[in-house]
């Protein structure tokens, strides 16, 4: 009779995601994940080839989470707020999304809700341009915010809302 499986791939990815958020990428080791799910490290290799593969799976799950949040948003303003909320709730996963190990198709899926929203605002001809503008601004703002790079005072919530209002207000269909 075969030995029963003591953990699943979903449990392994969830454990790695928790470790990522509490200690950054360096905390995601096969040993730490194994300990979290209650198995010995060699057992993980039945499910995951190596640490880089595991980080890619965590990044893919984060991309799925972000896509779901963006899909649930109605309109560009809500979409931008959902993006920032994701980054605040899962800052290490947010950073991981910009690494090379994340599945390109999963990452590209995060663009679909943005493109739909910008197409509705500016039309199909300029939807990609508008999506890039909004994504670049929001990513830059949130990345700087998480890094503590805004040091001149002021309320960052107000600053983000100001950016949304002015950027979205500038998007006009030709």
């Amino acid at each position: 009779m075969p030995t029963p499986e003591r953990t699943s791939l979903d449990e392994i990815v969830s454990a790695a995601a928790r470790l990522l958020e509490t200690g950054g990428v360096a905390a995601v080791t096969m040993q730490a994940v194994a300990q979290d799910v209650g198995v010995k490290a060699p057992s993980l290799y039945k499910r995951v080839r190596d640490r880089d593969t595991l980080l890619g799976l965590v990044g893919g799950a984060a991309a799925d989470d972000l896509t779901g949040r963006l899909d649930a948003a109605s309109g560009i303003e809500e979409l931008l707020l959902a993006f920032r909320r994701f980054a605040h709730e899962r800052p290490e996963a947010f950073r991981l999304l910009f690494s090379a190990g994340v599945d390109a198709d999963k990452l590209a899926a995060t663009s679909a809700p943005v493109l739909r929203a910008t197409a509705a605002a500016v039309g199909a001809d300029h939807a990609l341009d508008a999506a890039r503008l909004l994504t670049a601004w929001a990513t830059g703002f949130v990345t700087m915010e998480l890094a503590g790079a805004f040091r001149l005072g002021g309320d960052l919530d107000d600053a983000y809302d100001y950016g949304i209002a002015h950027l979205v207000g500038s998007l006009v269909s030709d």
Side-chain angles (χ1 to χ4, degrees), residues 9-73:
L9 184 59
D10 286 343
E11 290 171 326
I12 292 166
V13 172
S14 293
R18 284 190 302 276
L19 289 165
L20 176 72
E21 290 306 331
T22 58
V25 173
V28 182
T29 65
M30 298 302 268
Q31 182 63 41
V33 172
Q35 184 174 348
D36 191 275
V37 297
V39 299
K40 295 192 183 302
S43 299
L44 293 183
Y45 293 98
K46 294 176 186 175
R47 303 258 186 231
V48 181
R49 184 177 70 229
D50 56 24
R51 180 177 181 267
D52 289 340
T53 301
L54 178 57
L55 287 169
L57 292 169
V58 172
D64 290 344
D65 181 13
L66 178 57
T67 300
R69 293 173 188 226
L70 297 177
D71 274 334

Side-chain angles (χ1 to χ4, degrees), residues 3 5 7 24 29 34 39 41 44-45 52 59 61 77 82-83 86 88 126 130 132 143 146 151 161 168:
T3 305
E5 297 297 330
T7 190
T29 65
V39 299
L44 293 183
Y45 293 98
D52 289 340
E77 294 90 346
F83 181 81
F86 171 83
H88 279 262
H126 295 289
R132 286 177 173 155
T143 299
L146 292 176
R151 298 184 181 133
D161 291 344
V168 174

